[in-house]
């Protein structure tokens, strides 16, 4: 059984996915890291050298190659649900959880973050704010298709575990 954590950049998907996996005693995977392992390139280099369309192709391919038999929590990339029918695929093959965060909280976190994120690395100030606002708004229709929506800012791990267990009891 796979649990997919989705949400915008900076919403804490990786941290939450790790914690949920540890408590369930399941495996954990970060889709960006799987893409890096598959291509031998960093996500940043893929964007720089090959461009976003190539990244989206590989992202969808790697997503579909994850072994569905094992129990695993997968932290997706911020754009994963928004391309190539990936949200349909994730809904069919696992349990989707959206870590939702307000545009203001995202602006705050991403403007302070030291993590290199190729999509926003050249943006600052009001350009960054505008980008976040615009992109969250256009991606929301994909994110909100998740089976469960939780507060990303104050993610309650035990609540997420309960949701996963309850899903499992209906889909053993
Ligand atoms: C992206 C988010 C990134 C990574 C890539 C594109 C996006 O993942 O997949 O840089 O389009 O929002 P995180 O959400 O883990 O930063």
């Amino acid at each position: 059984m796979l649990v997919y954590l989705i949400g915008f950049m900076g919403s804490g998907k990786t941290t939450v996915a790790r914690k949920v996996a540890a408590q369930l005693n399941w495996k954990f995977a970060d889709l960006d890291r799987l893409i890096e392992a598959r291509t031998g390139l960093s996500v940043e280099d893929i964007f720089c050298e090959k461009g976003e369309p190539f990244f989206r192709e590989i992202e969808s391919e790697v997503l579909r190659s994850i072994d569905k038999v094992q129990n695993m929590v997968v932290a997706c990339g911020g754009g994963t649900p928004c391309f190539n029918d990936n949200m349909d695929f994730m809904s069919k093959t696992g349990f989707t959880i959206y870590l939702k965060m307000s545009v203001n909280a995202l602006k705050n976190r991403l403007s302070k973050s030291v993590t290199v994120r190729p999509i926003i690395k050249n943006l600052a100030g009001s350009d960054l704010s505008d980008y976040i606002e615009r992109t969250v708004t256009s991606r929301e229709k994909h994110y909100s298709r998740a089976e469960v929506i939780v507060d990303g800012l104050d993610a309650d791990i035990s609540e997420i575990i309960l949701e996963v267990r309850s899903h499992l009891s209906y889909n053993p």
Side-chain angles (χ1 to χ4, degrees), residues 102-132:
S102 72
V103 167
N104 275 342
L106 288 168
K107 283 179 182 172
N108 197 20
R109 284 169 64 116
L110 289 169
S111 63
K112 288 181 192 144
S113 169
V114 291
T115 308
V116 179
R117 294 186 163 92
I119 283 204
I120 55 171
K121 74 172 183 187
N122 295 321
L123 299 175
S126 64
D127 289 342
L128 178 61
S129 282
D130 291 349
Y131 175 83
I132 295 170

Side-chain angles (χ1 to χ4, degrees), residues 66-87:
I66 296 173
D67 172 11
K68 313 288 179 306
V69 177
Q70 57 192 334
N71 287 327
M72 183 154 81
V73 184
V74 182
C76 297
T80 311
C82 316
F83 295 86
N84 303 329
D85 296 326
N86 290 343
M87 199 59 206

Side-chain angles (χ1 to χ4, degrees), residues 7-10 13-14 32 43 47 55-56 59 76-79 117-119 139:
F8 204 70
M9 287 173 273
K13 298 176 295 278
T14 303
D32 282 343
V43 168
F47 268 80
F55 176 80
R56 297 303 173 195
E59 180 179 48
C76 297
R117 294 186 163 92
I119 283 204
R139 287 181 173 182

